[in-house]
Amino acid sequence: MEIDIFEEKENKIFNRTEIKFYVEYEGESTPKILDIKSKLVALLNTKKDLIVVDNVQPHYGEPKALGYAKVYGTVDDLKYIETDSVIAKNTEPVEETEEDEEEAEE
């Protein structure tokens, strides 16, 4: 999976940087949002808590997708502006431990 950032725009009103990028994934299925987010965190040298991948739109018949992400200045700004659904799809699922499962059964 290769990510090519083609537009970076500063949005001072919302205290964020808006990123538009292409994802190329030759011979693979369309990457998951969390995989793209991890790669963007490394590319942009930011923290996982400050970035949300808003959407990824695959190109028909090509191993390529157009994506849009936002990097916030603070976690509070992100939580205040983003909808719960966008935050949820950018959050890694928490695996239940055996203790959690036992408590749920009681």
Side-chain angles (χ1 to χ4, degrees):
M1 171 177 62
E2 292 288 320
I3 294 183
D4 177 31
I5 297 171
F6 66 89
E7 185 179 317
E8 240 179 281
K9 190 169 71 174
E10 194 71 32
N11 186 332
K12 293 182 193 286
I13 294 170
F14 293 121
N15 190 25
R16 70 184 182 203
T17 303
E18 298 169 352
I19 312 283
K20 290 184 181 176
F21 58 91
Y22 283 113
V23 181
E24 293 186 29
Y25 45 95
E26 193 73 43
E28 304 172 35
S29 61
T30 305
K32 293 181 174 36
I33 284 182
L34 293 175
D35 296 337
I36 294 170
K37 180 178 175 177
S38 296
K39 189 98 171 186
L40 283 171
V41 166
L43 277 174
L44 299 169
N45 196 23
T46 188
K47 294 180 183 166
K48 208 184 316 185
D49 300 358
L50 299 176
I51 188 169
V52 291
V53 176
D54 197 84
N55 63 54
V56 177
Q57 301 169 331
H59 285 238
Y60 182 75
E62 290 183 72
K64 192 175 191 178
L66 174 66
Y68 176 61
K70 298 173 241 177
V71 182
Y72 284 88
T74 68
V75 174
D76 290 337
D77 288 335
L78 183 147
K79 288 181 179 176
Y80 181 73
I81 295 169
E82 291 300 328
T83 61
D84 291 339
S85 62
V86 171
I87 292 171
K89 73 180 181 184
N90 277 273
T91 304
E92 292 183 25
V94 178
E95 292 183 26
E96 286 190 10
T97 61
E98 288 180 25
E99 291 174 14
D100 292 340
E101 290 173 8
E102 288 173 8
E103 288 176 13
E105 290 174 7
E106 292 178 4

